[in-house]
Amino acid sequence: MNSDQRGGPGAVPMHLIVLAGLASVTYASFVLENLLSPKLDFFNGYVSELSASDQPFHFVYSAGDLITGVLSILVAAGTLRRLTRKPLATAGWVFLGLFGVCAIGDASFPLDCAPSLETWCALRERSENVSFSHEFHSVTSSAVIVCGVAALLLLSLAARRYGWWPALARWGWLLALAESVAALGTLVAMYVGQWLGIVQRVQIGILCLGLLTIAWALYSDRREAAREARDVSDAREGACL
């Protein structure tokens, strides 16, 4: 009896699970800032400033977003192709793919400079004397959060409704809720003018945990399907003796 016969979503190849896990690592490129970008204000600086075009090692952080985006799209496409399609699950994987598209957008439209680090940059930003890339980055960054929250929430709801993916059923909605609270916290921090950097880093950390949870959920289902297949095989061999 395979995973579809037991009412499950099916199992994905191991390489897709590895890609989901890798995406959670590459999206956490900001953890390198103490080593590569120590001048940026950890407490109040935007995470996006790390990949600003005029910052040293900006290509490292942009590469992290780009790789995460590509991996997320591959995972979403692979799951849609191989797993059972039900409305909530399908919508969740689609939003994971859109999350990947927006992460690529973050990498493709970096800030021109770091406003919290350079006064002239902040003045240019306030006078709207910045490039389209600088302005559009806020759109892609907001879309990343929205799509990430939607993917986690929808996959969690699918897991609960269909009896799939225990890890997502248990943690997906909590991570989506925490990410939403952190997003509201970002707005408050922007208004107050303090702690924005910490709140943003928490946001990204939650999304990394979400990607890791997705990878674990897919791995657990694959392991369960393999165990049931072995049990069936052993039962058939016993019946033939």
Side-chain angles (χ1 to χ4, degrees):
M1 180 172 62
N2 60 34
S3 55
D4 289 330
Q5 289 173 320
R6 65 185 173 87
V12 297
M14 192 63 194
H15 73 268
L16 285 179
I17 299 170
V18 172
L19 293 183
L22 285 175
S24 70
V25 175
T26 56
Y27 201 51
S29 60
F30 71 92
V31 300
L32 300 173
E33 63 182 308
N34 288 334
L35 177 65
L36 302 179
S37 310
K39 291 183 179 180
L40 188 69
D41 188 348
F42 175 85
F43 295 97
N44 300 305
Y46 290 97
V47 176
S48 296
E49 292 179 86
L50 293 168
S51 59
S53 299
D54 70 339
Q55 294 302 300
F57 302 104
H58 65 90
F59 59 89
V60 174
Y61 307 107
S62 292
D65 288 344
L66 178 63
I67 294 171
T68 299
V70 172
L71 295 180
S72 298
I73 291 172
L74 290 175
V75 172
T79 51
L80 285 171
R81 179 170 174 264
R82 292 179 175 271
L83 299 185
T84 301
R85 295 187 185 181
K86 289 193 176 183
L88 285 173
T90 298
W93 296 123
V94 168
F95 270 104
L96 180 64
L98 291 175
F99 164 83
V101 171
C102 295
I104 293 174
D106 268 354
S108 303
F109 299 97
L111 298 177
D112 297 337
C113 48
S116 71
L117 188 61
E118 300 157 328
T119 303
W120 62 266
C121 180
L123 293 174
R124 281 181 57 183
E125 191 176 60
R126 291 174 186 173
S127 63
E128 299 183 354
N129 188 26
V130 291
S131 68
F132 171 80
S133 175
H134 190 104
E135 292 183 340
F136 192 66
H137 187 83
S138 61
V139 176
T140 59
S141 294
S142 299
V144 161
I145 302 301
V146 172
C147 292
V149 169
L152 286 171
L153 182 59
L154 287 167
L155 290 174
S156 175
L157 291 174
R160 286 172 167 265
R161 174 169 294 185
Y162 309 136
W164 300 346
W165 310 314
L168 279 168
R170 183 174 183 180
W171 299 109
W173 69 275
L174 285 173
L175 290 170
L177 177 61
E179 184 68 14
S180 300
V181 171
L184 293 176
T186 299
L187 297 178
V188 174
M190 290 176 67
Y191 178 79
V192 174
Q194 292 183 330
W195 310 112
L196 178 60
I198 290 180
V199 176
Q200 276 202 323
R201 285 158 177 78
V202 169
Q203 270 189 297
I204 296 174
I206 293 170
L207 288 176
C208 291
L209 287 175
L211 290 167
L212 194 60
T213 302
I214 289 172
W216 178 252
L218 292 174
Y219 172 73
S220 297
D221 211 63
R222 176 183 172 83
R223 183 178 59 185
E224 180 66 17
R227 185 187 65 78
E228 292 191 2
R230 286 196 303 269
D231 290 345
V232 170
S233 178
D234 291 343
R236 286 176 178 173
E237 289 180 4
C240 293
L241 294 177

